[in-house]
């Protein structure tokens, strides 16, 4: 698109684009973004842990506690009668050297309350290392 200015016989073509409106719009957008970004990103400053997918190293002294969807707790594959029995067994195992790790396998449909009770029992029993066993992303959907 060419614009001719003037009424002389020489037709000069002015090919310059007026960038002033473009710069004005860009400055307004920049100011709007500078004002709204701090409002949109108001979070508590915390240091998040780094997650890594480490394969479970099964040792003979590790104990696997499984929690099914009904809240029943299994010590390796033996069903616990109640939380008192679980706590007593945890206390007896916590005194061994080296102390075994507790691996918790919770059903995805289990209420958090059931798994939370197991974690509290491990804490009250004196276990220092508790881990959760999960399925990798690819196998969990099947």
């Amino acid at each position: 698109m060419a614009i001719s200015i003037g009424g002389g016989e020489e037709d000069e073509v002015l090919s310059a684009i007026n960038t002033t409106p473009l710069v004005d719009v860009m400055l307004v957008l920049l100011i709007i973004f500078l004002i709204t970004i701090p409002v949109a990103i108001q979070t508590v400053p915390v240091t998040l842990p780094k997650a890594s997918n480490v394969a479970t190293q099964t040792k003979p002294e590790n104990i696997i506690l499984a929690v099914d969807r009904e809240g029943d707790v299994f010590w390796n594959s033996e069903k616990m009668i109640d939380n008192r029995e679980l706590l007593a067994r945890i206390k007896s195992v916590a005194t061994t050297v080296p102390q075994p790790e507790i691996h918790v396998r919770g059903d995805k449909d289990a209420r958090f309350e059931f798994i939370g009770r197991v974690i509290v029992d491990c804490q009250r029993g004196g276990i220092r290392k508790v881990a959760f066993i999960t399925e990798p992303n690819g196998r969990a959907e099947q």
Side-chain angles (χ1 to χ4, degrees):
M1 172 175 192
I3 300 173
S4 63
I5 299 176
E9 290 188 17
E10 290 185 26
D11 288 334
E12 289 186 32
V13 177
L14 179 64
S15 62
I17 298 175
N18 188 3
T19 59
T20 304
L22 177 66
V23 171
D24 289 344
V25 170
M26 294 305 290
L27 286 174
V28 169
L29 287 175
L30 178 66
I31 292 170
I32 289 172
F33 286 137
L34 288 176
I35 291 172
T36 58
I37 285 178
V39 174
I41 307 176
Q42 288 186 354
T43 60
V44 177
V46 295
T47 304
L48 297 175
K50 304 295 182 210
S52 62
N53 188 7
V54 179
T56 304
Q57 296 177 355
T58 305
K59 299 176 186 173
E61 64 268 10
N62 289 350
I63 299 163
I64 297 176
L65 296 179
V67 181
D68 65 3
R69 70 177 65 195
E70 285 82 26
D72 296 328
V73 180
F74 295 85
W75 182 284
N76 291 331
S77 59
E78 179 185 341
K79 184 177 179 180
M80 297 283 100
I81 297 171
D82 58 1
N83 280 5
R84 281 184 248 123
E85 180 187 7
L86 176 64
L87 182 59
R89 286 187 76 170
I90 289 174
K91 284 182 179 180
S92 67
V93 169
T95 59
T96 61
V97 177
Q99 190 180 65
E101 297 177 9
I102 301 285
H103 294 183
V104 179
R105 297 183 72 227
D107 190 284
K108 72 174 186 166
D109 295 326
R111 293 178 45 194
F112 182 74
E113 174 187 1
F114 302 140
I115 298 171
R117 287 181 186 163
V118 171
I119 301 302
V120 168
D121 286 342
C122 290
Q123 181 182 13
R124 287 178 27 209
I127 297 294
R128 282 180 257 134
K129 191 163 184 182
V130 178
F132 292 98
I133 298 178
T134 59
E135 291 288 334
N137 287 338
R139 292 187 3 204
E141 298 169 357
Q142 294 176 352

